Amino acid sequence: DSTITDIDNISKSMEEFVEGKRLEIKSLTERDSFRRDFLGNVAHELKTPLFTVQGYILTLMEGAINDKQIRMKYLDRANKGVERLVAVIKDLDMIAKLETESLKLNIEVFNILELIQNVFDLFEMKAKKRNISLKFDRIYEFPVFVKADVEKIEQVLINLVVNSIKYGKPNGTTIVGVESYNDKKFIVKVIDNGEGIQKQHLSRLFERFYRVDQSRSREQGGSGLGLSIVKHILEAHDENILLKSTYGEGSEFSFTVEKAK
Ligand code: ADP
């Protein structure tokens, strides 16, 4: 911690002496505090499930292991903690990769309708468990060819569809549809009739680790990084993301994608 304070002090005193460079130094200080916040968040995200796992292991070692029912319950909870850790680490790994490879998009032409169907197949079970139905709003019955990095767009779809399931109301519906946006772009919409998002959160939702409700997100197994990954991928593609939401009624996350000629 002391090194961090030192860096702050050095930046401040340099600011006083080097008048012309004031702005540059300020942005360095800002970056520094951004990095510090990020590291703090990462440590927190890892610490919480790790302590949970440790707690269950210690209790088992202290004797709970002898009771068959308690043993299974605690092992199951410890395993859930490990699953959370794996999810956070996977998402961090993806962000690190996106930052270093952001210019290396593998652009190809593919049928977006097929990609949506694949994502539905992957998450049908997860949706069923929460009693949510996934609906494909097919206004096009033929292949809809787009030009983008297919794996990364699949990741965007996965994150949005999974969120619609996690924050959807039981017995709710997620609708995914594709429409023409303009001459050059299609727009893909992921619409849910779930809990919705209050206005004051909308502008911060795509920040790393920002969550409306910490415990609700954790209970759903979220890393808090899903939407920041979505934003990263779409920015790298030079595409837009739009969000409409009414608290208590539902949300619509949509993004543009280039039409293949
Ligand atoms: P998380 O892992 O917490 O789901 P995300 O970055 O994917 O992280 O989302 C950030 C937050 O945005 C979530 O914690 C949740 O509060 C809110 N959110 C995301 N998608 C939806 C949705 N479809 N409906 C309501 N809230 C949502």
mmCIF file of all heavy atoms in Angstrom, residues 226-249:
data_model
loop_
_atom_site.group_PDB
_atom_site.id
_atom_site.type_symbol
_atom_site.label_atom_id
_atom_site.label_comp_id
_atom_site.label_asym_id
_atom_site.label_seq_id
_atom_site.Cartn_x
_atom_site.Cartn_y
_atom_site.Cartn_z
ATOM 1 N N GLY A 226 -19.543 -9.828 -17.366
ATOM 2 C CA GLY A 226 -20.206 -10.202 -18.623
ATOM 3 C C GLY A 226 -20.464 -9.030 -19.564
ATOM 4 O O GLY A 226 -20.109 -9.090 -20.746
ATOM 5 N N LEU A 227 -21.054 -7.965 -19.044
ATOM 6 C CA LEU A 227 -21.405 -6.842 -19.925
ATOM 7 C C LEU A 227 -20.170 -6.045 -20.341
ATOM 8 O O LEU A 227 -20.152 -5.460 -21.424
ATOM 9 C CB LEU A 227 -22.435 -5.930 -19.253
ATOM 10 C CG LEU A 227 -23.857 -6.493 -19.171
ATOM 11 C CD1 LEU A 227 -24.787 -5.505 -18.482
ATOM 12 C CD2 LEU A 227 -24.395 -6.853 -20.553
ATOM 13 N N SER A 228 -19.131 -6.020 -19.494
ATOM 14 C CA SER A 228 -17.921 -5.302 -19.922
ATOM 15 C C SER A 228 -17.243 -6.071 -21.051
ATOM 16 O O SER A 228 -16.660 -5.471 -21.963
ATOM 17 C CB SER A 228 -16.970 -5.026 -18.756
ATOM 18 O OG SER A 228 -16.421 -6.210 -18.279
ATOM 19 N N ILE A 229 -17.368 -7.396 -21.053
ATOM 20 C CA ILE A 229 -16.836 -8.201 -22.162
ATOM 21 C C ILE A 229 -17.643 -7.912 -23.445
ATOM 22 O O ILE A 229 -17.083 -7.713 -24.517
ATOM 23 C CB ILE A 229 -16.867 -9.711 -21.801
ATOM 24 C CG1 ILE A 229 -15.806 -9.981 -20.720
ATOM 25 C CG2 ILE A 229 -16.646 -10.590 -23.022
ATOM 26 C CD1 ILE A 229 -15.821 -11.381 -20.141
ATOM 27 N N VAL A 230 -18.967 -7.831 -23.291
ATOM 28 C CA VAL A 230 -19.836 -7.504 -24.427
ATOM 29 C C VAL A 230 -19.430 -6.168 -25.050
ATOM 30 O O VAL A 230 -19.261 -6.047 -26.268
ATOM 31 C CB VAL A 230 -21.318 -7.437 -23.954
ATOM 32 C CG1 VAL A 230 -22.207 -6.740 -24.963
ATOM 33 C CG2 VAL A 230 -21.837 -8.846 -23.666
ATOM 34 N N LYS A 231 -19.228 -5.173 -24.199
ATOM 35 C CA LYS A 231 -18.879 -3.832 -24.674
ATOM 36 C C LYS A 231 -17.532 -3.859 -25.409
ATOM 37 O O LYS A 231 -17.380 -3.288 -26.488
ATOM 38 C CB LYS A 231 -18.816 -2.887 -23.472
ATOM 39 C CG LYS A 231 -18.494 -1.462 -23.833
ATOM 40 C CD LYS A 231 -18.715 -0.554 -22.636
ATOM 41 C CE LYS A 231 -18.080 0.793 -22.868
ATOM 42 N NZ LYS A 231 -16.960 1.061 -21.979
ATOM 43 N N HIS A 232 -16.573 -4.537 -24.812
ATOM 44 C CA HIS A 232 -15.239 -4.666 -25.383
ATOM 45 C C HIS A 232 -15.295 -5.249 -26.795
ATOM 46 O O HIS A 232 -14.710 -4.720 -27.735
ATOM 47 C CB HIS A 232 -14.448 -5.627 -24.492
ATOM 48 C CG HIS A 232 -13.101 -5.112 -24.151
ATOM 49 N ND1 HIS A 232 -12.183 -4.770 -25.103
ATOM 50 C CD2 HIS A 232 -12.512 -4.887 -22.962
ATOM 51 C CE1 HIS A 232 -11.086 -4.368 -24.511
ATOM 52 N NE2 HIS A 232 -11.261 -4.415 -23.208
ATOM 53 N N ILE A 233 -16.022 -6.353 -26.928
ATOM 54 C CA ILE A 233 -16.102 -7.047 -28.221
ATOM 55 C C ILE A 233 -16.766 -6.154 -29.268
ATOM 56 O O ILE A 233 -16.277 -6.031 -30.389
ATOM 57 C CB ILE A 233 -16.883 -8.379 -28.079
ATOM 58 C CG1 ILE A 233 -16.079 -9.359 -27.209
ATOM 59 C CG2 ILE A 233 -17.198 -8.982 -29.445
ATOM 60 C CD1 ILE A 233 -16.786 -10.672 -26.911
ATOM 61 N N LEU A 234 -17.865 -5.487 -28.884
ATOM 62 C CA LEU A 234 -18.584 -4.675 -29.866
ATOM 63 C C LEU A 234 -17.793 -3.427 -30.236
ATOM 64 O O LEU A 234 -17.787 -3.009 -31.395
ATOM 65 C CB LEU A 234 -19.988 -4.343 -29.363
ATOM 66 C CG LEU A 234 -20.874 -5.598 -29.262
ATOM 67 C CD1 LEU A 234 -22.163 -5.298 -28.532
ATOM 68 C CD2 LEU A 234 -21.171 -6.177 -30.656
ATOM 69 N N GLU A 235 -17.073 -2.864 -29.287
ATOM 70 C CA GLU A 235 -16.212 -1.717 -29.601
ATOM 71 C C GLU A 235 -15.121 -2.115 -30.587
ATOM 72 O O GLU A 235 -14.824 -1.374 -31.517
ATOM 73 C CB GLU A 235 -15.576 -1.163 -28.320
ATOM 74 C CG GLU A 235 -16.446 -0.100 -27.680
ATOM 75 C CD GLU A 235 -15.894 0.390 -26.346
ATOM 76 O OE1 GLU A 235 -14.770 -0.035 -25.962
ATOM 77 O OE2 GLU A 235 -16.596 1.170 -25.690
ATOM 78 N N ALA A 236 -14.543 -3.291 -30.357
ATOM 79 C CA ALA A 236 -13.487 -3.755 -31.272
ATOM 80 C C ALA A 236 -14.034 -3.910 -32.692
ATOM 81 O O ALA A 236 -13.329 -3.721 -33.669
ATOM 82 C CB ALA A 236 -12.909 -5.068 -30.777
ATOM 83 N N HIS A 237 -15.327 -4.249 -32.810
ATOM 84 C CA HIS A 237 -15.966 -4.397 -34.116
ATOM 85 C C HIS A 237 -16.465 -3.067 -34.676
ATOM 86 O O HIS A 237 -17.002 -3.036 -35.783
ATOM 87 C CB HIS A 237 -17.191 -5.323 -34.003
ATOM 88 C CG HIS A 237 -16.889 -6.780 -34.048
ATOM 89 N ND1 HIS A 237 -16.527 -7.480 -32.935
ATOM 90 C CD2 HIS A 237 -16.886 -7.677 -35.076
ATOM 91 C CE1 HIS A 237 -16.337 -8.757 -33.273
ATOM 92 N NE2 HIS A 237 -16.539 -8.889 -34.561
ATOM 93 N N ASP A 238 -16.385 -2.009 -33.871
ATOM 94 C CA ASP A 238 -16.958 -0.723 -34.261
ATOM 95 C C ASP A 238 -18.479 -0.803 -34.382
ATOM 96 O O ASP A 238 -19.080 -0.167 -35.247
ATOM 97 C CB ASP A 238 -16.373 -0.279 -35.616
ATOM 98 C CG ASP A 238 -15.732 1.076 -35.472
ATOM 99 O OD1 ASP A 238 -16.047 1.767 -34.489
ATOM 100 O OD2 ASP A 238 -14.929 1.435 -36.351
ATOM 101 N N GLU A 239 -19.084 -1.618 -33.544
ATOM 102 C CA GLU A 239 -20.544 -1.764 -33.555
ATOM 103 C C GLU A 239 -21.140 -1.099 -32.308
ATOM 104 O O GLU A 239 -20.428 -0.827 -31.345
ATOM 105 C CB GLU A 239 -20.933 -3.253 -33.575
ATOM 106 C CG GLU A 239 -20.470 -4.025 -34.800
ATOM 107 C CD GLU A 239 -21.155 -3.594 -36.105
ATOM 108 O OE1 GLU A 239 -22.044 -2.721 -36.057
ATOM 109 O OE2 GLU A 239 -20.792 -4.148 -37.161
ATOM 110 N N ASN A 240 -22.447 -0.869 -32.375
ATOM 111 C CA ASN A 240 -23.114 -0.197 -31.250
ATOM 112 C C ASN A 240 -23.860 -1.180 -30.370
ATOM 113 O O ASN A 240 -24.312 -2.219 -30.834
ATOM 114 C CB ASN A 240 -24.168 0.787 -31.770
ATOM 115 C CG ASN A 240 -23.543 1.883 -32.574
ATOM 116 O OD1 ASN A 240 -22.479 2.395 -32.229
ATOM 117 N ND2 ASN A 240 -24.192 2.222 -33.679
ATOM 118 N N ILE A 241 -24.006 -0.784 -29.109
ATOM 119 C CA ILE A 241 -24.884 -1.549 -28.227
ATOM 120 C C ILE A 241 -25.920 -0.583 -27.666
ATOM 121 O O ILE A 241 -25.588 0.548 -27.313
ATOM 122 C CB ILE A 241 -24.104 -2.287 -27.122
ATOM 123 C CG1 ILE A 241 -25.054 -3.005 -26.159
ATOM 124 C CG2 ILE A 241 -23.216 -1.360 -26.320
ATOM 125 C CD1 ILE A 241 -24.617 -4.367 -25.792
ATOM 126 N N LEU A 242 -27.175 -1.018 -27.666
ATOM 127 C CA LEU A 242 -28.248 -0.155 -27.174
ATOM 128 C C LEU A 242 -28.965 -0.870 -26.049
ATOM 129 O O LEU A 242 -29.131 -2.087 -26.091
ATOM 130 C CB LEU A 242 -29.246 0.135 -28.292
ATOM 131 C CG LEU A 242 -28.637 0.730 -29.558
ATOM 132 C CD1 LEU A 242 -29.218 0.090 -30.776
ATOM 133 C CD2 LEU A 242 -28.815 2.219 -29.584
ATOM 134 N N LEU A 243 -29.385 -0.099 -25.060
ATOM 135 C CA LEU A 243 -30.062 -0.705 -23.921
ATOM 136 C C LEU A 243 -31.307 0.096 -23.564
ATOM 137 O O LEU A 243 -31.260 1.307 -23.405
ATOM 138 C CB LEU A 243 -29.092 -0.744 -22.723
ATOM 139 C CG LEU A 243 -29.674 -1.030 -21.334
ATOM 140 C CD1 LEU A 243 -30.420 -2.335 -21.291
ATOM 141 C CD2 LEU A 243 -28.564 -1.034 -20.296
ATOM 142 N N LYS A 244 -32.433 -0.636 -23.514
ATOM 143 C CA LYS A 244 -33.679 -0.010 -23.053
ATOM 144 C C LYS A 244 -34.170 -0.867 -21.904
ATOM 145 O O LYS A 244 -34.121 -2.101 -22.002
ATOM 146 C CB LYS A 244 -34.756 -0.071 -24.138
ATOM 147 C CG LYS A 244 -34.601 0.902 -25.259
ATOM 148 C CD LYS A 244 -35.862 0.814 -26.123
ATOM 149 C CE LYS A 244 -35.465 0.899 -27.589
ATOM 150 N NZ LYS A 244 -36.544 0.429 -28.472
ATOM 151 N N SER A 245 -34.624 -0.254 -20.844
ATOM 152 C CA SER A 245 -35.107 -1.071 -19.745
ATOM 153 C C SER A 245 -36.155 -0.320 -18.932
ATOM 154 O O SER A 245 -36.060 0.889 -18.749
ATOM 155 C CB SER A 245 -33.937 -1.461 -18.844
ATOM 156 O OG SER A 245 -34.377 -2.398 -17.890
ATOM 157 N N THR A 246 -37.162 -1.035 -18.497
ATOM 158 C CA THR A 246 -38.160 -0.455 -17.601
ATOM 159 C C THR A 246 -38.144 -1.281 -16.325
ATOM 160 O O THR A 246 -38.322 -2.508 -16.380
ATOM 161 C CB THR A 246 -39.572 -0.490 -18.233
ATOM 162 O OG1 THR A 246 -39.467 0.010 -19.560
ATOM 163 C CG2 THR A 246 -40.560 0.342 -17.444
ATOM 164 N N TYR A 247 -37.905 -0.611 -15.221
ATOM 165 C CA TYR A 247 -37.803 -1.306 -13.944
ATOM 166 C C TYR A 247 -39.090 -2.058 -13.645
ATOM 167 O O TYR A 247 -40.180 -1.488 -13.736
ATOM 168 C CB TYR A 247 -37.488 -0.285 -12.840
ATOM 169 C CG TYR A 247 -37.202 -0.928 -11.507
ATOM 170 C CD1 TYR A 247 -36.241 -1.927 -11.392
ATOM 171 C CD2 TYR A 247 -37.889 -0.549 -10.366
ATOM 172 C CE1 TYR A 247 -35.974 -2.528 -10.188
ATOM 173 C CE2 TYR A 247 -37.628 -1.144 -9.140
ATOM 174 C CZ TYR A 247 -36.678 -2.138 -9.070
ATOM 175 O OH TYR A 247 -36.416 -2.742 -7.874
ATOM 176 N N GLY A 248 -38.948 -3.338 -13.347
ATOM 177 C CA GLY A 248 -40.123 -4.162 -13.041
ATOM 178 C C GLY A 248 -40.763 -4.783 -14.262
ATOM 179 O O GLY A 248 -41.614 -5.664 -14.140
ATOM 180 N N GLU A 249 -40.375 -4.328 -15.457
ATOM 181 C CA GLU A 249 -41.036 -4.859 -16.662
ATOM 182 C C GLU A 249 -40.133 -5.651 -17.591
ATOM 183 O O GLU A 249 -40.571 -6.603 -18.233
ATOM 184 C CB GLU A 249 -41.680 -3.715 -17.445
ATOM 185 C CG GLU A 249 -42.927 -3.210 -16.759
ATOM 186 C CD GLU A 249 -43.619 -2.118 -17.543
ATOM 187 O OE1 GLU A 249 -43.371 -1.985 -18.751
ATOM 188 O OE2 GLU A 249 -44.389 -1.378 -16.910
#
